[in-house]
Amino acid sequence: MNTDLTRASAAELAEGLASKSISSVEVTQAYLDRIAAVDGQVHAYLHVDAEGALTTARAVDARRAAGERLATLAGVPIAVKDVMTTRGLPTTCGSRMLEGWVPPYDATVVRHLKDAGMPILGKTNMDEFAMGSSTEHSAYGPSRNPWDLERIPGGSGGGSSAAVASFQAPLATGTDTGGSIRQPAAVTGTVGTKPTYGGVSRYGLVALASSLDQAGPCARTVLDTALLHEVMGGHDPLDSTSIDAPVPPVVDAARRADVTGLRIGVVKELGGEGYQPGVRERFEESVALLVEQGAEVVEVSCPSFDYALAAYYLILPSEASSNLAKFDAMRYGMRVLPEGVDAPTAEQVMAATRDAGFGPEVKRRIILGTYALSSGYYDAYYGSAQKVRSLIAQDFERAYEKVDVLLSPTAPTTAFKLGDKLDDPMAMYLNDIATIPANLAGVPGMSIPSGLAEEDGLPTGIQILAPAMKDERLYSVGAALEQALLERWGAPILSKAPDLAAGLVKGA
Amino acid sequence: MAVTSAASVGMDPVLDYDDVVARFDPVMGLEVHVELHTLTKMFCGCPTEFGAEPNSQVCPVCLGLPGALPVVNEKAVESAIRIGLALNCEIAEWCRFARKNYFYPDMPKNFQTSQYDEPIAFNGYLDVEVDDGAGGTEVFRVEIERAHMEEDTGKSLHVGGSTGRIHGAEYSLVDYNRAGIPLIEIVTKPIVGAGVRAPEVAKAYVSALRDLLRALDVSDVKMEQGSVRCDANVSLRVRVGDDPRGEAQLAVPLGTRTETKNVNSLRSVERAVRYEMSRQAATLEAGGSVLQETRHWHEDTGMTTSGRVKSDADDYRYFPEPDLVPVAPTRETVDALRTTLPEPPGLRRRRLQGEWGFSDLEMRDVVNARAVELIEETVAAGAGAAAAKKWWLGEPSRRANAEGQDLVSYAAGLRFSPAHVAELDRLVTSGRLNDSMARQVLDGVLAGEGTPTQVADARGLELVQDDDALQAAVDRVIEANPDIAEKVRSGKVQAAGALIGQVMKEMKGQADAGKARTLILARLG
Amino acid sequence: MSSLSREDVAHLAGLARIDLSDAELDRMVGELSVILESVAKVQQAPIADVPPMSHPMPLTNVTRPDVVRPGLTPDEALSGAPERELGRFAVPRILDED
C-alpha cells in the first residue's frame, strides 16, 4: 500500500484495516490533516466534522479489536454531499436559505454509511440545491478544480469530485439529476456512477427533480466506486420509488473487469459537433482499447436525444418549482422580513425570504418551472416534455436490443474557467447534453477518466450507459477500460495532477 | 316581496325564502372532506389521535422537512375504495396522486398531495330520504362525481387582535399534528331538481353520508371535531314552470356559484344553503350579479360573509406526484373489499322496520332518536322489538335530550347497555316486575346502582306471587265497595278499574294488575 | 408563446412567492425568453400519439402497512423553527383563511 494513506484506494484501505495493519483513526486523521492543508485552496468542504469522524473511527477500531465482523468499508472515511440530511451536522444544499440548518434525521444513504462504520469527514460543496454544472452557484463560493484552481470542478457535485481528486477523501457521495456525479468526475479525472433510478434511496436527499434525482458513489477507481455503490444502494421502504431488488453485483463485475464478447454501442448523436477535439480523441482511443479487450463496437442512433436537453430543462424546473416551495421561512431555515413593511404578513415574509435566500439560478428555474406547469401552458411545455421523455426511453430500448452498453464522452469539454459561463445559462446547460438522457430514461451511467486532452492537459471523461437494473455492466466495462488505460499510462491519472501542497509552498 | 335590508355594515340583504323559491331554482354542489380514522397518516407512520400535545405527532414527512418522502398508507387506499364502492362508484383501474401547488403556512410542503384528474372513485350516487310533504318519506338520488384521496393540513392558532380570529391577528401558531391525516374528498355532481327542498336535501345528504361512513367504520364522523367537513356550492337560476325536474327548468343555464367553506354541522348545512339562496336571490332581484367567490359560514349569526374572489391566483399547477407511484387496484382487491361492505343504511333500515313490525312513523322516531343500533342489539340480546323501542325512547332518550347528547353517547357514558334493557324486559315478561316497578328499576340503573336485577333486589321490588294474598285483597276491596262491585256485576266492566287501583294499593304496588283484574272479574262475573 | 413579458414574469414570481426586485425582473425577462425559446424545441419532436412518461420505473401499488412508526419529539420538530411559542411554530400573521 501507498505509504501516504490519502493516496491509497478505498479498497486498499479496507484491506489494511481488515488486517489491522492500519487503524481507522490513523486513516481518518490523515485525511483530516490533508483537508487542513489543502482545502483552503480547493474549498471542497462546506463543513468538516473532525470530532465526529474520529469518534466513529475510534468506535470502529474498538469493534474490530473486539473481533466483531464488520462491513468491507468499515473505518474508511467518506465525504457527504451537502444535499443529504445528516442528523446533527449542518445541511445547507449550498444555499443561504438553509444556512445553519441541522436536520433532526439522517438520509437513508447516510444511515447506510453509518451502519457500515464509515467516518463522515464532512459535507461537500455544491451548486445551490444542485442546480448547476460548476459549483459556482453555491452561496458559499465555488469549489476549485485540483488540476487548475482557476477552473471549475464540475457540478453540481463539484465539492465531492474536488475532494476525491485532491485526496481530501477516498470516497464521496453524490447526486445526479442531469449529470451532477458524472460531469464532475469527468472534469476532475475521477470516477462516478449514477445508478439506475430507484437503485439508491432518495429518502433524505433534498429533492431537486424527484423523477430524475439519483444518488451515487464518487471515487478514484472503478472498484472503490463499486464498493461504495454496494453500501449506498438497496431497497428502502421509505422511498416509494425505490426498487425492491438486491443491489446488482457491481463489486464482482469490477473485480472481473471482463468485456469479452460484449456488444458496445457508440451513440451517434453524442460526441460530434460541439465536443472539444481532445475529448473526442481520448474517447476514440478508449473505444479502440475496449475493442482490443475483446468487445465488439457498433454505432447506434438515438435520434430523440436531440430533444433531451429541452425536455430536461422543462421537467427539472417544473418539479423543482414545487419541491422548493417548502422553503418558506415558516418551519426551518432563513426568515427575512421585507423592508419598510410594518407587521408584514406571512405571504410577504415568504416572498421576501425566497428572494433573499435563493440565488439567481434557483430563482430562474423556479420561475421557469412555475410557467411550464401553469394552466394554459402545461400541455405545450411540461406535457410535451414528458412525451419526449417517452421517445428517449424508446430510443434506449431499441439500442439495448442491439448492444449491451452505450458509450459517449461524458462532457463536451474539459473543465472551463471559473466565471466563463456564469452569465450565460444556456451555455452552462449545454454541459449536461450527454448525461441528461440517462436521467430522463432512468438508466444507469458511469464516468471514468479517459485521459488528458492534448490541447489543455486537462482530464476528459468517457460515459458508459447500461440498461435499467444492469448497473454491473458499467463496472465490467469501466474496470476493463481502467485497467487498459492504467497499463498505457503507467500510473493513475491523478498522479499527473499538480501537487497542491507544493503549490501552496510555491505561492507562499 | 320582502327584502330585508342590510341592518348593519357587512350584512347582506336577504330575500324571504318563499319568494326565493317562487322565482329561482337552486343548484347545489356539495364537497365533503372525511378524515379517515386510520392509525397512521396518509403518507407517514405518525399517529392520528385527536387532541395530542402540539407537534408531538410529526416526523420529517408530515413536517415537510427537506429530503423526506411520502409512502401511501395501504389502509387509507382500502378505505377510499370501500367508500367509493358504498357510494356506487366505479373504481379506477389505475390512478395517481397529484400535487396541488399553493402557499399556506399550515401546509408544510406548500403543495397538497391530492388527486386531480385521476380520482380513485367516480360516477356514483347516494340515495337519501327526504320528507315527501305528506307525512311520509321520498328517496332523492344525489349523484356523486368523484371521491379522491388527499391529506389534511396543520392547524393555526391566531394570536392577538380579537377573539382568535384570523383577521386582526398579530401572528399565528401552527401545530402540524393534523398535517397529513388521510382525507377522502367526496364531490357531488350538481344537485338539480331539489327546488324548495334544496336545504333539506343538503342536510339529508350529509346525514346519509355520515351514516354510511359510520357503517363502513372508516371515520369517527365527528363533525364537531372536524372529522367531517362540508363545503357547499350554491347557485340560482331563474325558475320556469312548476317542475324543478322538468325539461324546461333543466334547460336554463346555471347561475354563478359561491362556495361556502367549513359548514360543520348538519343543521348548519341546511341553514347555510338556505341563507345563500336567500342572499343570492336578493342580489339578483336587486339587479346585481352574484360574485364567484368563497364565503365563510358563521355559525353564531347564521350568515355567510365574503371570502376570497376566485382569480387566476388559483392556478394550482397540478402535476402527477413524482414521489409516488400509481395506485392500480386489481379486480381481485376490489372484489374482496366489496365483500366487506356493510348493508347500505337505507336498505338496512327498511329491513329492520319489517322485522320489527314498526310503522313508518315509529321507525322515523327510532331513527331520529339514533336508536336503530341500540334496538337491534337489544333485540339480539333477547328482548322484543316493541319493548326495546319503548324502553330506549322513554326515560333514557328524555335524559339524553335534556343533557344535549345523542342517545348513543349518553348510554355509552353511563355504561347503560342493550343487555341491561333486555334484562329489564325479561324481568317484566317473566312476571317479576310490572311496568311501574320496571320504571323504578330503570331509574336505579340510570343512577348507576347496578344491573336491573341488582337494582330490583336492592330495592326489594318484586311482584307478589302469592295468589291467596291477592285473592284476599280482591275480596276485601269488593266487600268495601259494594256500589262499584254492583256496577261491574251489571255489565259496566270499565268500572273494574277503580277496584283494580284499590287492590294495587292494598298490595303496595307489588302485584300484577292484569291478574288482579282477572280475579275481580271472576268474582263479579 | 415562447417569450415572456415583464408582467408575465412578475405574475409568475407572485405565484412562486418570490419578491423579485425591479432589476431582477428586468434581467429575468431576457434570460427566460432565451431559455424558453430553446426548450420550446420539445414541441417540434415527433410526439403525436406518444404517451407522456412521468416516471422512469413502471412501479405501481407501493404502500406501507397502517402501523405507527416513531417520529420526532416536539423539540426535534421545532429545532429548526425561526420562532416558536407554546410548542408551536410561530409564523407571521396570515392574511386570508382558505
Side-chain angles (χ1 to χ4, degrees):
Chain A
M1 189 190 312
N2 204 306
T3 49
D4 179 354
L5 291 176
T6 64
R7 299 272 161 167
S9 71
E12 289 169 331
L13 291 174
E15 273 173 41
L17 288 162
S19 67
K20 298 184 196 164
S21 61
I22 52 171
S23 73
S24 177
V25 169
E26 284 173 76
V27 178
T28 304
Q29 190 60 56
Y31 274 105
L32 291 170
D33 291 346
R34 174 73 180 172
I35 293 168
V38 305
D39 203 42
Q41 301 169 74
V42 179
H43 193 224
Y45 286 91
L46 291 176
H47 182 85
V48 176
D49 184 25
E51 202 33 60
L54 287 169
T55 301
T56 305
R58 278 192 290 269
V60 170
D61 287 341
R63 287 167 62 196
R64 203 184 303 275
E68 258 187 70
R69 267 181 71 99
L70 299 173
T72 309
L73 290 178
V76 178
I78 186 163
V80 173
K81 188 176 181 182
D82 206 30
V83 76
M84 299 178 172
T85 61
T86 41
R87 192 187 170 92
L89 270 188
T91 300
T92 69
C93 299
S95 181
R96 286 281 169 230
M97 187 61 95
L98 282 178
E99 190 164 5
W101 182 57
V102 179
Y105 80 108
D106 277 329
T108 296
V109 166
V110 171
R111 191 164 49 74
H112 286 330
L113 302 179
K114 289 183 175 176
D115 288 349
M118 300 176 72
I120 293 173
L121 295 166
K123 306 293 290 286
T124 58
N125 196 15
M126 56 186 282
D127 284 296
E128 183 175 7
F129 290 110
M131 298 186 194
S133 310
S134 69
T135 72
E136 291 169 289
H137 293 306
S138 166
Y140 304 99
S143 297
R144 289 162 185 275
N145 194 321
W147 289 81
D148 177 349
L149 296 174
E150 294 309 307
R151 290 178 187 267
I152 60 110
S156 64
S160 285
S161 68
V164 171
S166 61
F167 303 98
Q168 298 190 68
L171 301 168
T173 64
T175 55
D176 189 314
T177 305
S180 286
I181 290 174
R182 290 162 288 162
Q183 180 258 11
V187 298
T188 56
T190 58
V191 182
T193 299
K194 180 203 93 74
T196 299
Y197 183 88
V200 176
S201 170
R202 290 187 298 115
Y203 188 79
L205 273 50
V206 181
L208 170 53
S210 307
S211 75
L212 302 166
D213 293 346
Q214 187 56 203
C218 309
R220 290 191 287 264
T221 72
V222 173
L223 178 59
D224 285 4
T225 310
L227 289 169
L228 180 55
H229 188 146
E230 200 171 58
V231 173
M232 293 175 72
H235 179 240
D236 181 10
L238 297 180
D239 174 0
S240 306
T241 61
S242 166
I243 295 169
D244 193 359
V247 181
V250 291
V251 175
D252 283 355
R255 289 193 198 279
R256 275 207 308 277
D258 182 12
V259 292
T260 319
L262 204 76
R263 295 167 303 163
I264 288 175
V266 172
V267 185
K268 192 177 116 196
E269 286 76 11
L270 303 175
E273 207 182 323
Y275 287 75
Q276 192 177 316
V279 169
R280 275 153 59 179
E281 280 164 29
R282 294 285 88 84
F283 175 71
E284 279 150 23
E285 192 176 279
S286 291
V287 173
L289 275 177
L290 282 167
V291 173
E292 278 177 31
Q293 303 292 307
E296 180 192 318
V297 173
V298 292
E299 187 181 84
V300 297
S301 176
C302 296
S304 305
F305 284 16
D306 287 346
Y307 302 99
L309 190 77
Y312 176 81
Y313 276 100
L314 284 166
I315 293 169
L316 178 143
S318 297
E319 293 184 8
S321 70
S322 174
N323 282 331
L324 269 61
K326 59 166 65 78
F327 301 103
D328 67 352
M330 300 295 119
R331 289 159 297 279
Y332 42 79
M334 187 184 205
R335 178 178 290 179
V336 171
L337 304 183
E339 271 176 52
V341 183
D342 278 342
T345 63
E347 187 178 41
Q348 290 170 320
V349 172
M350 285 180 182
T353 304
R354 289 165 64 78
D355 185 49
F358 290 141
E361 179 63 19
V362 173
K363 291 184 214 173
R364 253 191 308 269
R365 294 200 196 182
I366 288 176
I367 303 277
L368 180 61
T370 303
Y371 176 64
L373 289 177
S374 60
S375 71
Y377 300 104
Y378 181 95
D379 289 339
Y381 290 106
Y382 190 73
S384 300
Q386 291 213 319
K387 292 177 180 177
V388 168
R389 198 171 180 177
S390 291
L391 292 178
I392 286 163
Q394 288 164 15
D395 276 3
F396 272 117
E397 274 169 37
R398 269 192 296 274
Y400 289 133
E401 283 166 12
K402 284 182 275 182
V403 298
D404 301 306
V405 294
L406 294 170
L407 293 183
S408 79
T410 309
T413 67
T414 56
F416 50 89
K417 286 221 163 82
L418 289 163
D420 260 12
K421 301 187 179 180
L422 202 48
D423 294 326
D424 186 350
M426 273 321 295
M428 188 74 92
Y429 297 173
L430 282 166
N431 272 286
D432 304 329
I433 193 133
T435 44
I436 279 170
N439 299 83
L440 289 171
V443 303
M446 171 192 273
S447 177
I448 73 162
S450 55
L452 301 178
E454 204 109 322
E455 57 272 28
D456 54 19
L458 291 168
T460 57
I462 180 168
Q463 172 176 240
I464 309 153
L465 300 169
M469 298 174 74
K470 300 290 182 198
D471 303 42
E472 70 275 12
R473 290 186 194 167
L474 306 175
Y475 290 92
S476 304
V477 177
L481 180 58
E482 183 185 51
Q483 228 166 57
L485 286 167
L486 190 60
E487 265 172 45
R488 172 169 292 210
W489 300 333
I493 191 167
L494 284 171
S495 66
K496 299 193 176 72
D499 187 339
L500 290 170
L504 189 63
V505 172
K506 242 186 274 171
Chain B
M1 176 177 76
V3 175
T4 311
S5 66
S8 64
V9 177
M11 279 178 73
D12 295 295
V14 292
L15 193 64
D16 187 76
Y17 192 69
D18 291 339
D19 293 327
V20 175
V21 294
R23 288 167 172 74
F24 298 102
D25 175 53
V27 177
M28 296 184 292
L30 298 169
E31 295 172 14
V32 175
H33 286 86
V34 183
E35 265 187 8
L36 298 181
H37 66 192
T38 46
L39 293 176
T40 66
K41 294 186 178 180
M42 186 73 220
F43 301 115
C44 66
C46 287
T48 55
E49 278 156 53
F50 184 80
E53 186 192 338
N55 296 302
S56 65
Q57 298 186 154
V58 294
C59 74
V61 179
C62 57
L63 207 52
L65 291 189
L69 295 173
V71 185
V72 172
N73 183 339
E74 180 181 39
K75 182 78 186 290
V77 176
E78 286 175 6
S79 298
I81 294 173
R82 292 178 69 233
I83 290 170
L85 290 171
L87 290 170
N88 308 292
C89 286
E90 294 171 51
I91 303 301
E93 287 174 17
W94 190 93
C95 68
R96 285 186 294 191
F97 286 94
R99 291 188 184 176
K100 180 182 185 182
N101 293 287
Y102 65 101
F103 286 81
Y104 206 75
D106 63 13
M107 196 166 56
K109 298 168 291 184
N110 285 323
F111 59 79
Q112 183 188 34
T113 306
S114 180
Q115 293 194 286
Y116 179 46
D117 49 357
E118 299 162 328
I120 184 128
F122 50 94
N123 276 346
Y125 62 87
L126 180 63
D127 285 334
V128 304
E129 285 179 8
V130 287
D131 210 319
D132 66 0
T137 57
E138 183 191 339
V139 169
F140 189 97
R141 176 159 291 187
V142 175
E143 309 264 351
I144 305 292
E145 170 84 33
R146 56 189 281 158
H148 74 248
M149 302 178 274
E150 59 183 35
E151 57 180 337
D152 212 341
T153 59
K155 256 183 173 165
S156 305
L157 201 74
H158 306 296
V159 182
S162 59
T163 68
R165 284 253 175 112
I166 194 158
H167 293 290
E170 284 157 28
Y171 60 99
S172 299
L173 297 175
V174 193
D175 168 15
Y176 292 101
N177 282 348
R178 196 181 69 177
I181 288 185
L183 290 180
I184 305 298
E185 180 174 344
I186 300 162
V187 183
T188 67
K189 291 183 180 167
I191 301 170
V192 296
V196 60
R197 291 181 307 179
E200 191 200 343
V201 166
K203 178 186 175 185
Y205 166 72
V206 177
S207 173
L209 187 57
R210 204 181 60 165
D211 289 348
L212 183 69
L213 295 164
R214 186 183 291 119
L216 284 164
D217 192 22
V218 291
S219 169
D220 293 337
V221 290
K222 289 180 181 156
M223 293 189 86
E224 68 280 8
Q225 285 184 6
S227 57
V228 174
R229 310 194 281 270
C230 180
D231 300 336
N233 290 281
V234 175
S235 69
L236 296 181
R237 54 183 168 186
V238 173
R239 176 170 163 183
V240 291
D242 283 335
D243 182 3
R245 291 177 221 185
E247 257 177 57
Q249 183 63 64
L250 297 180
V252 178
L254 299 181
T256 303
R257 70 189 162 87
T258 61
E259 181 179 18
T260 303
K261 292 274 192 187
N262 290 321
V263 190
N264 292 339
S265 74
L266 287 181
R267 183 165 162 264
S268 297
V269 171
E270 185 168 16
R271 289 168 78 208
V273 169
R274 183 185 289 260
Y275 177 83
E276 261 309 282
M277 286 170 63
S278 304
R279 186 193 66 83
Q280 290 183 17
T283 303
L284 295 170
E285 279 294 303
S289 54
V290 174
L291 279 181
Q292 192 182 344
E293 63 182 352
T294 59
R295 297 188 66 87
H296 302 307
W297 168 247
H298 302 282
E299 186 83 48
D300 45 356
T301 58
M303 296 190 298
T304 66
T305 55
S306 179
R308 205 167 42 81
V309 175
K310 293 268 180 191
S311 71
D312 60 354
D314 296 331
D315 186 347
Y316 294 124
R317 290 158 284 134
Y318 282 101
F319 71 105
E321 166 58 273
D323 285 328
L324 293 171
V325 303
V327 175
T330 61
R331 178 179 283 273
E332 294 73 49
T333 305
V334 175
D335 286 346
L337 289 171
R338 202 187 299 274
T339 65
T340 71
L341 293 186
E343 187 180 5
L347 281 184
R348 182 176 126 83
R349 254 177 231 163
R350 277 191 287 282
R351 172 177 63 79
L352 290 173
Q353 184 182 347
E355 286 173 19
W356 294 342
F358 290 175
S359 69
D360 283 358
L361 203 64
E362 284 174 319
M363 194 63 192
R364 195 154 69 167
D365 287 346
V366 168
V367 169
N368 287 342
R370 287 205 54 203
V372 175
E373 283 75 24
L374 292 170
I375 290 175
E376 193 182 20
E377 288 171 43
T378 306
V379 169
K389 172 173 154 298
K390 180 177 76 182
W391 292 118
W392 281 113
L393 267 52
E395 193 60 17
S397 232
R398 199 188 60 72
R399 292 198 193 184
N401 264 331
E403 294 191 17
Q405 292 197 50
D406 71 41
L407 190 55
V408 176
S409 13
Y410 173 77
L414 287 178
R415 301 175 191 225
F416 176 61
S417 69
H420 286 142
V421 176
E423 188 181 332
L424 187 67
D425 183 49
R426 248 191 322 276
L427 292 175
V428 173
T429 52
S430 71
R432 175 171 172 178
L433 301 180
N434 61 22
D435 267 21
S436 88
M437 294 162 95
R439 268 189 284 278
Q440 293 176 55
V441 168
L442 182 59
D443 283 344
V445 176
L446 292 176
E449 291 169 22
T451 65
T453 307
Q454 286 165 344
V455 173
D457 289 350
R459 294 192 176 188
L461 292 169
E462 176 151 21
L463 284 177
V464 173
Q465 299 296 339
D466 182 349
D467 282 1
D468 291 347
L470 183 58
Q471 187 63 63
V474 166
D475 290 343
R476 276 197 307 277
V477 167
I478 288 174
E479 202 177 310
N481 297 281
D483 297 356
I484 303 175
E486 193 44 46
K487 279 186 186 166
V488 177
R489 263 197 208 96
S490 65
K492 289 199 158 183
V493 178
Q494 62 268 48
L499 297 176
I500 296 167
Q502 293 203 37
V503 169
M504 294 303 285
K505 209 168 173 182
E506 287 258 328
M507 298 298 293
K508 298 192 173 68
Q510 307 204 351
D512 181 336
K515 199 180 263 178
R517 178 187 166 86
T518 309
L519 291 176
I520 289 167
L521 291 179
R523 271 281 188 271
L524 304 175
Chain C
M1 179 171 84
S2 64
S3 80
L4 289 168
S5 70
R6 202 169 186 282
E7 288 66 39
D8 293 333
V9 177
H11 170 70
L12 293 168
L15 275 180
R17 288 280 187 283
I18 304 177
D19 187 14
L20 293 180
S21 67
D22 285 349
E24 282 181 304
L25 265 179
D26 290 338
R27 199 168 58 239
M28 193 87 75
V29 173
E31 288 167 349
L32 285 179
S33 295
V34 172
I35 297 170
L36 262 185
E37 198 177 318
S38 170
V39 297
K41 190 176 176 184
V42 290
Q43 292 151 14
Q44 290 147 28
I47 51 173
D49 307 322
V50 174
M53 171 174 169
S54 59
H55 222 272
M57 284 292 157
L59 302 172
T60 55
N61 296 331
V62 177
T63 57
R64 60 178 178 83
D66 185 27
V67 175
V68 173
R69 278 177 55 94
L72 301 172
T73 64
D75 249 4
E76 286 172 330
L78 291 155
S79 62
E83 285 183 71
R84 57 198 273 190
E85 190 177 314
L86 299 173
R88 296 170 172 87
F89 293 82
V91 305
R93 66 199 175 93
I94 300 167
L95 248 198
D96 188 20
E97 199 163 23
D98 195 22

